Amino acid sequence: MQAKLKLVFLAGLVSAACVPAAFAAPSNDVSAQASNQVGPIEALARQAWREDMAQIATPSDGCFHASYPSIVWQQVACKNLPARAHSVPHYYLFAAPQTAGNGNDYTLQTGSSLITKAVGSFPSVTGVTSEQSVGVPAYGDGGILGANEYSLQINSQFTSTTSACKNHSGCTVWQQFVYAPDYEVQGEAAVFMQNWLIGYGSSRCPSGFASDGEGDCYGNSSAATAPDVPATDLGGMVMTGTVASGGNDTAVLTYGGDAYSTSQKDSTLYLSQVWNTVEYNVVGNAGGSEAEFNSGTSITVNVAVNDGSTSAPSCVADSGTTGESNNLNLGSCTASGGSTPSIQFTESN
């Protein structure tokens, strides 16, 4: 959704390559809000429904909505979004203490198997009483700032090339599945994908993409409208990103008794041909901003994938791709195999 991340490893001020930064498993807990409104049996039924909706494909490209207990997607109007991108580079000290995001994050990596679906959730959220998105000077203090401004991001790696690069030397693709409050309309959130052609060069960007002025091309999919969810209820949201070779890529957000989705042709970036790494977290809302949580916050992050394997993936540190961040310190990370390989880690302040 945003900025570029330029790493400078100050072990003698050795500069690394400039890489972009931007936007970025069903929860074991139901949201506090849902728990207050329904009994435990109903809460479990809704949780099962949310898990089902994460598995049910939409019938075509476009935007859809479903309400509990129905498992039928109903088509709704999409919104066209302007892309919010910032090309301001950011420098940080290698191995210096870093809060989560802006390149310092855990990612799930599968190795040789390709990912067809990633599901991000927060199985445990404690101590959250407030959150605000604040500007980061290195990114020009950009973004959507203020109370309850944040984004949920499922991000791919940005080190792989596909035919979407049209044989431009050094070009790689990067795709983000995003939930962002107030992204275009105050009081409304957007569920969408942001697409990048990194290092496309000085040539004119392809149709559907705009230039960031530094050789990269970016654009947004159509967006599904969703409610602005307060950051105090992060545990009630589940974000899903799916890709299908020859079909559609889809972003889905489920919250309470509702599911919201949007899709685009996989041929936008051909992510299905290369996707092997997932970053998921709650970070600032666009423009390289930071999601600042109150002291005493603790969040458990879970990322699960379908990759045709039951092997445990790798949990890799310092490998995130988004430029947005939060003010939480990363804890330990564990990886698990099985029908849905996953990683899980904690972050707190």
Side-chain angles (χ1 to χ4, degrees), residues 34-119:
S35 297
N36 291 333
Q37 294 175 345
V38 300
I41 295 177
E42 179 71 4
L44 288 173
R46 293 189 178 213
Q47 178 179 319
W49 175 84
R50 289 193 292 272
E51 295 175 12
D52 288 341
M53 294 311 301
Q55 302 294 326
I56 298 172
T58 55
S60 64
D61 58 349
C63 297
F64 293 83
H65 173 255
S67 294
Y68 174 84
S70 173
I71 57 172
V72 178
W73 287 110
Q74 301 291 333
Q75 191 157 19
V76 295
C78 288
K79 286 192 173 181
N80 293 321
L81 295 180
R84 297 177 182 269
H86 296 257
S87 55
V88 181
H90 177 51
Y91 299 87
Y92 71 85
L93 300 179
F94 177 69
Q98 295 287 316
T99 50
N102 196 26
N104 180 57
D105 212 349
Y106 290 115
T107 63
L108 180 155
Q109 297 185 12
T110 63
S112 59
S113 58
L114 295 178
I115 295 166
T116 57
K117 176 179 293 185
V119 182

Side-chain angles (χ1 to χ4, degrees), residues 90 244 256 278 289 296 345:
H90 177 51
V278 179
S289 57
F345 60 90

Side-chain angles (χ1 to χ4, degrees), residues 115-116 242-250 264-267 271-272:
I115 295 166
T116 57
T242 62
V243 297
S245 179
N248 295 324
D249 297 353
T250 306
Q264 67 180 17
K265 296 296 184 185
D266 182 67
S267 56
L271 183 64
S272 65

